[in-house]
Amino acid sequence: MNKEFAFETLAVRAGQERSQFGEHSEALYLTSSFVFESAAQAAARFSGEEPGNVYARFTNPTVTMFTDRLAALEGAEGCVATASGMAAILATAMALLKAGDHVVASQSIFGATQQLFGNILGKFGVTTSFVVGTEPAAFRAALANNTKLVFIETPSNPLTEVFDIAAIAEVAHAAGALLAVDNCFCTPALQRPLEFGADLVIHSATKYLDGQGRVLGGAVLGKSALTDEVFKFLRTTGPTLSAFNAWIILKGLETLKIRMQAQSASALAIAQWLEAQPQVQRVFYPGLASHPQHALAMRQQAGGGAILSFEVKGGREAAWRVVDQCKLLSITANLGDTKSTITHPSSTTHGRITAEARAAAGIKEGLLRIAVGLEAVSDITADLARGLHPSGRLQLK
Ligand SMILES: *Cc1c(COP(=O)(O)O)cnc(C)c1O
């Protein structure tokens, strides 16, 4: 299925293959290997002369249904599935970089991604420069003549800074480097980085693609010439997506757009409510007119997304009180679930970096991050109001 169908249709139908039974729902093929009709067919499958399944470390029909569907949604030629989001980033780096190469990465990326580029890849001779802020000029200044990859995540966690994908793609391409965008927060329902000139899209399918907090998974998308290289690394080394997880996430994709639209709309309503609370210093959400990059976000995204953060007056003590008064929101750093979550970044996700580095990144002691789920907005604001208004004067509108 291709461009003639709308996103909603592709999300439900793309990639589905039926077996001889004509099942209506996508089949889950729990098998590690596949049998051949003859010695000649086995030989042809192994050599790649004949397309088809051989062994589940290489391909599995359920996993292929997932990659075909996600490729249709991102508008990508190629897609490979991985065991987790981190496996997607690792496989991309191992497939496309070699000793002596240089990476330019945003400082505002997922913590484990920072560790991977900053520590692990360094052992193999790949160096990384981290860029502070969103300015394309800062990315240009960090480039070297051996830069092969530029890596960003937009909007960023937890301050929802927005990066101009088209402008940074131009900067990367002028230096002969590829641009990879971690599209975890927006998903293709709200943002399609390849349309803005990115070369690679990375997903932690663990988050919104599954959408219900059940399994881990990941994906890499882009031109087939690139994803084929990532596939070669995966089929040899093995951090591939299991058929069971692929089946769960495949079904998650069917409701992706309505979930993202509903969760985005709720996030905007909650951000607006928070902005009106006297105990709140500042709210960070790309869908708010007060966001410094609101115009860019609305050009690049079809909604603000479901992640917001806000600073309460009174520092850590006041922030922890809000967390501890939550009876509904789950106290966890996870995100991308139908259940709303709340976390205090400076003592959790960003707790291991130094206080100076946190201050430089703008992550204050009063900052809280919420990943908005599908509960009623009024129930979420009531939960937050309890800790924000300990005197009991609730503003529950
Ligand atoms: C969670 C996350 C990852 C890592 O994904 P896993 O599936 O946990 O390995 C990468 N990037 C972002 C933005 C994430 O939120």
Side-chain angles (χ1 to χ4, degrees), residues 193-223:
L194 299 175
E195 285 173 1
F196 294 96
D199 302 285
L200 293 158
V201 169
I202 308 274
H203 275 290
S204 168
T206 314
K207 312 293 168 51
Y208 294 103
L209 302 189
D210 168 20
Q212 295 171 64
R214 298 169 292 190
V215 297
L216 269 74
V220 183
L221 300 105
K223 289 227 163 65

Side-chain angles (χ1 to χ4, degrees), residues 151-349:
F151 192 100
I152 60 173
E153 196 177 300
T154 181
S156 73
N157 177 29
L159 293 173
T160 71
E161 302 156 289
V162 180
F163 294 73
D164 187 331
I165 298 170
I168 296 172
E170 226 178 279
V171 164
H173 294 161
L178 299 170
L179 175 64
V181 178
D182 185 330
N183 200 25
C184 174
F185 278 23
C186 276
T187 83
L190 300 183
Q191 172 173 280
R192 308 212 309 166
L194 299 175
E195 285 173 1
F196 294 96
D199 302 285
L200 293 158
V201 169
I202 308 274
H203 275 290
S204 168
T206 314
K207 312 293 168 51
Y208 294 103
L209 302 189
D210 168 20
Q212 295 171 64
R214 298 169 292 190
V215 297
L216 269 74
V220 183
L221 300 105
K223 289 227 163 65
S224 299
L226 296 173
T227 56
D228 285 352
E229 291 305 309
V230 180
F231 177 70
K232 283 183 209 159
F233 173 80
L234 287 168
R235 65 174 267 172
T236 303
T237 61
T240 41
L241 186 64
S242 78
F244 180 79
N245 289 8
W247 181 76
I248 293 280
I249 304 164
L250 182 63
K251 302 306 282 180
L253 290 179
E254 294 182 359
T255 55
L256 179 65
K257 187 157 183 176
I258 54 174
R259 280 188 284 109
M260 291 310 289
Q261 284 175 338
Q263 289 175 233
S264 252
S266 294
L268 177 60
I270 293 162
Q272 286 165 338
W273 177 83
L274 283 165
E275 254 189 343
Q277 304 310 305
Q279 294 83 354
V280 173
Q281 184 76 40
R282 194 170 163 197
V283 183
F284 302 87
Y285 181 67
L288 284 177
S290 62
H291 190 285
Q293 296 156 301
H294 178 65
L296 169 62
M298 292 303 103
R299 226 171 33 242
Q300 199 165 270
Q301 304 173 205
I307 311 269
L308 62 90
S309 60
F310 62 104
E311 246 167 61
V312 296
K313 294 174 184 167
R316 176 179 289 215
E317 195 188 332
W320 277 25
R321 186 166 58 231
V322 174
V323 173
D324 289 337
Q325 287 294 314
C326 285
K327 295 195 164 94
L328 180 71
L329 301 195
S330 311
I331 306 171
T332 170
N334 193 31
L335 59 97
D337 203 311
T338 52
K339 297 179 173 71
S340 298
T341 66
I342 187 165
T343 192
H344 179 243
S346 78
S347 58
T348 60
T349 52

Side-chain angles (χ1 to χ4, degrees), residues 94-174:
M94 295 301 270
L96 303 177
L97 301 172
K98 61 179 187 324
D101 287 346
H102 176 246
V103 176
V104 171
S106 160
Q107 176 80 50
S108 306
I109 51 176
F110 189 64
T113 313
Q114 258 184 41
Q115 298 280 325
L116 173 64
F117 284 120
N119 301 336
I120 296 173
L121 291 177
K123 291 200 296 187
F124 301 96
V126 173
T127 53
T128 299
S129 304
F130 290 100
V131 172
V132 176
T134 61
E135 283 304 319
F139 283 84
R140 188 181 299 117
L143 292 165
N145 51 21
N146 58 341
T147 306
K148 292 286 154 54
L149 180 69
V150 176
F151 192 100
I152 60 173
E153 196 177 300
T154 181
S156 73
N157 177 29
L159 293 173
T160 71
E161 302 156 289
V162 180
F163 294 73
D164 187 331
I165 298 170
I168 296 172
E170 226 178 279
V171 164
H173 294 161

